[in-house]
Each structure stands twice: as structure tokens, then as C-alpha cells.
């Protein structure tokens, strides 16, 4: 028996999302957002555990999994998935809710929480950098800048031709699996390849990077710093839990530096023996951290 139900939900934002839903709608709601190059499956271990006492909503975000893949880079600017998640909450009739995000899902969760404190009551971030900390690190931390050069590669309009030449399985083995535990990934590989192999799927996922305004200087480059890096930045007002796999080779632990000044009500849980894909690399530790924090916060 499945741990969740999959629904196809049409939103007024113009997309249909494939959404995993579990738990009693009368319980406190929590929405889980995945990142690249995954789907709701990122949270496959957390969904049933959280559903014991929460109403759990885990969509495939636009362009990912089995959700709609609108054409054009402009359909993937961060405001679009923020609008999707708010519309999804409205469609399901939920009030203020806990929002959790990993990787790109975390980037969207940071933005949504900053802009919509009346809708998002609590924030959970898993290996996803705060926008100000991340952009600063790309200018000031050579190691993070080096680690982020994959973003420039993904933005290359010829990247899909490269994928066609090497094949999706080679991309899985060389670009995805090297950031994760190969043994844990092996049983999931067919599902990932099936999602990625749909027409237009890889372009849609890559368009998230192409639509982002984040600046990624080349190693050794000294471009002019964006003016907003030196200006005031609004604080995150929600109680916030940040979970970080400390062996992340793409988003380095420097992303935790200075975070407490931007998030007054902050709890950080470091997981020493996990990398970027910590929700399924160390699922028990992630689930325990989330459930314990939510119990403290009455959510």
C-alpha cells in the first residue's frame, strides 16, 4: 500500500502539478519542496513519518517529475514556483502552514517565507542557501565559487546537446551520483531516468538555473559586486529550522556563516556524515530533527 496519494491538481497559475498528499487534512499542514534533479520522491522517507500527525503536501514543482513543463525560460523565474505553492495551498484549503524545502525547493522556500509571512508560519530548510549568504559567498569564498561552476554549465544553451551525446544514464552516473550514495541511489535510478526521459524534461529542469538572477563569477574573475550585497536585507520572521549535511560538495558549510543575523529565530542541525541529498541519505536523522522541532513549536 502506498504511503501517499498522488493527485493531479490544476492551478490558476496555469500549470498542473503532480502532488503527493498524505495524512489527515484536519492536522497541521506541511508542504515539502524538492530540488534539482528530483521530484516529490526527495521526501519519500519523511512523508509517511510526518503524515502520522500532519497533513503532508509534496508537489513535483513545475518542470520536474510528472508536473507540467511550460516552455521558455521566463516560466521558471523564482516568482513562478512561489506563486504555485501559494496557489496549491489555497486550492487545498489550508491556512498558515509549515514550508520545508531542499536544494532549489529551499531557495523557493526562503523567498516565499520572506514575502509571505502571513501564509507561512514556520520554515524548514535542508541544504539550501539563504539568498544573501549564497550570493556573498560566490564573490567572497573561492571554494564556494569553484563548487558552483556547475550552474554556469547548466545555463549553457548547448547543455542539452551534451546530454544527448552522453545519454541520461551517463549524466546520472557522473553528475548526480557523485554527490550522493551510489548504493542508496541504485534502486531509485529507474524512476529518475523515467522522469528525466520525458519530452522536454531536462530543459525544463535546467531552465530553473537559466531563469535565476544569481551571479556566478568564474574562478579568478573580479566582477563588480551587486550593490544589494552591501545594503540592508529583511530578516526571516518565521521560526526556522536549518538542517545541513556537512559533506555537501556543491553547497559548502560556509552557507551557515552569518545566518543567525538574518534569521533571528534559528535552529541549526548539522549532520556530519551526510552530503547534499541528506533527506534520503540520512532519512532518520532528518525526520527526527523535523518532528522534534515541530513538536517544540506546536506545529
Amino acid at each position: 500500500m502506498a504511503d501517499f496519494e498522488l493527485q493531479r491538481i490544476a492551478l490558476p497559475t496555469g500549470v498542473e502539478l503532480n502532488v503527493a498528499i498524505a495524512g489527515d487534512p484536519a492536522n497541521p499542514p506541511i508542504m515539502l519542496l524538492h530540488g534539482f534533479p528530483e521530484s516529490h520522491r526527495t521526501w519519500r522517507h519523511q512523508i509517511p513519518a510526518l503524515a502520522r500527525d500532519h497533513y503532508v503536501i509534496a508537489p513535483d514543482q513545475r518542470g520536474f517529475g510528472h508536473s507540467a513543463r511550460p516552455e521558455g525560460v521566463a516560466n521558471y523565474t523564482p516568482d513562478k514556483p512561489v506563486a504555485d505553492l501559494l496557489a496549491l495551498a489555497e486550492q487545498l484549503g489550508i491556512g498558515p502552514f509549515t514550508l520545508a524545502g531542499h536544494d532549489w525547493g529551499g531557495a523557493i522556500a526562503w523567498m516565499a517565507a520572506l514575502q509571505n509571512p502571513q501564509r507561512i508560519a514556520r520554515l524548514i530548510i535542508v541544504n539550501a542557501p539563504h539568498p544573501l549568504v549564497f550570493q556573498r559567498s560566490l564573490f567572497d569564498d573561492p571554494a564556494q565559487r569553484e563548487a558552483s561552476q556547475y550552474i554556469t554549465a547548466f545555463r549553457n544553451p548547448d547543455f542539452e546537446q551534451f546530454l544527448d551525446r552522453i545519454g541520461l544514464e551517463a549524466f546520472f552516473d557522473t553528475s548526480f551520483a557523485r554527490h550522493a550514495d551510489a548504493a542508496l541511489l541504485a534502486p531509485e535510478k529507474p524512476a529518475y531516468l523515467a522522469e528525466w526521459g520525458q519530452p522536454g524534461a531536462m530543459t525544463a529542469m535546467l531552465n530553473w538555473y537559466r531563469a535565476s538572477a544569481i551571479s556566478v563569477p568564474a574562478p579568478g574573475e573580479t566582477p563588480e559586486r551587486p550593490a544589494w550585497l552591501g545594503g540592508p536585507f529583511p530578516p526571516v520572521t518565521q521560526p526556522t529550522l536549518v538542517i545541513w549535511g556537512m559533506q555537501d560538495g556543491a553547497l559548502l558549510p560556509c552557507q551557515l556563516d552569518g545566518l543567525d543575523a538574518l534569521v533571528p529565530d534559528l535552529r541549526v542541525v548539522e549532520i556530519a556524515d551526510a552530503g547534499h541529498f541528506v533527506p534520503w541519505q540520512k532519512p532518520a536523522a532528518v525526520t527526527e530533527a523535523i518532528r522534534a522541532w515541530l513538536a517544540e513549536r506546536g506545529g
Side-chain angles (χ1 to χ4, degrees):
M1 182 176 176
D3 292 319
F4 51 81
E5 174 189 2
L6 285 172
Q7 294 186 20
R8 186 81 173 180
I9 299 179
L11 300 178
T13 55
V15 297
E16 293 185 356
L17 299 186
N18 184 55
V19 185
I21 297 179
D24 187 340
N27 286 335
I30 181 170
M31 189 178 298
L32 310 174
L33 302 180
H34 67 85
F36 181 94
E38 299 194 274
S39 63
H40 69 274
R41 298 175 63 81
T42 296
W43 304 102
R44 55 191 175 271
H45 300 289
Q46 286 74 42
I47 291 172
L50 292 172
R52 295 202 297 268
D53 44 24
H54 287 78
Y55 183 44
V56 184
I57 304 107
D60 293 351
Q61 298 203 78
R62 62 166 63 203
F64 288 92
H66 293 281
S67 286
R69 295 179 288 278
E71 293 186 7
V73 172
N75 280 307
Y76 298 92
T77 53
D79 59 298
K80 305 298 194 307
V82 169
D84 290 343
L85 76 90
L86 295 173
L88 179 59
E90 187 74 20
Q91 197 90 341
L92 294 172
I94 64 175
F97 59 96
T98 298
L99 180 61
H102 171 255
D103 185 77
W104 258 116
I108 297 306
W110 281 119
M111 181 174 175
L114 283 162
Q115 295 177 345
N116 302 276
Q118 76 285 0
R119 295 291 285 121
I120 296 161
R122 287 163 294 275
L123 183 63
I124 300 171
I125 298 293
V126 184
N127 282 70
H130 183 282
L132 179 61
V133 176
F134 188 42
Q135 186 62 91
R136 279 180 177 168
S137 72
L138 290 171
F139 278 81
D140 301 339
D141 190 306
Q144 183 59 69
R145 186 187 296 195
E146 180 67 34
S148 297
Q149 293 306 305
Y150 70 92
I151 297 175
T152 302
F154 287 172
R155 287 171 168 172
N156 188 324
D158 296 327
F159 195 81
E160 286 87 335
Q161 296 179 29
F162 167 72
L163 291 177
D164 288 342
R165 288 198 303 273
I166 68 169
L168 292 180
E169 188 162 1
F171 176 71
F172 182 99
D173 293 337
T174 59
S175 297
F176 181 33
R178 71 185 183 90
H179 287 286
D181 187 317
L184 290 176
L185 265 179
E188 300 296 322
K189 186 174 183 177
Y192 284 115
L193 293 178
E195 290 177 353
W196 301 353
Q198 299 171 96
M202 287 305 303
T203 293
M205 292 193 293
L206 292 166
N207 278 345
W208 281 61
Y209 292 94
R210 294 162 179 162
S212 168
I214 199 77
S215 174
V216 185
E221 186 182 2
T222 54
E224 184 178 352
R225 293 170 66 86
W228 63 275
L229 289 186
F233 201 90
V236 173
T237 58
Q238 295 89 341
T240 300
L241 170 66
V242 172
I243 301 171
W244 209 271
M246 299 300 285
Q247 295 180 13
D248 192 334
L251 297 168
L252 308 183
C254 65
Q255 298 307 321
L256 300 176
D257 295 345
L259 197 53
D260 53 345
L262 297 162
V263 188
D265 189 348
L266 175 67
R267 169 82 56 82
V268 175
V269 174
E270 298 178 2
I271 301 181
D273 55 348
H276 181 67
F277 295 97
V278 62
W280 47 262
Q281 287 179 308
K282 295 293 177 181
V286 171
T287 301
E288 181 182 351
I290 292 174
R291 285 182 57 83
W293 183 79
L294 286 174
E296 280 184 29
R297 291 294 177 171

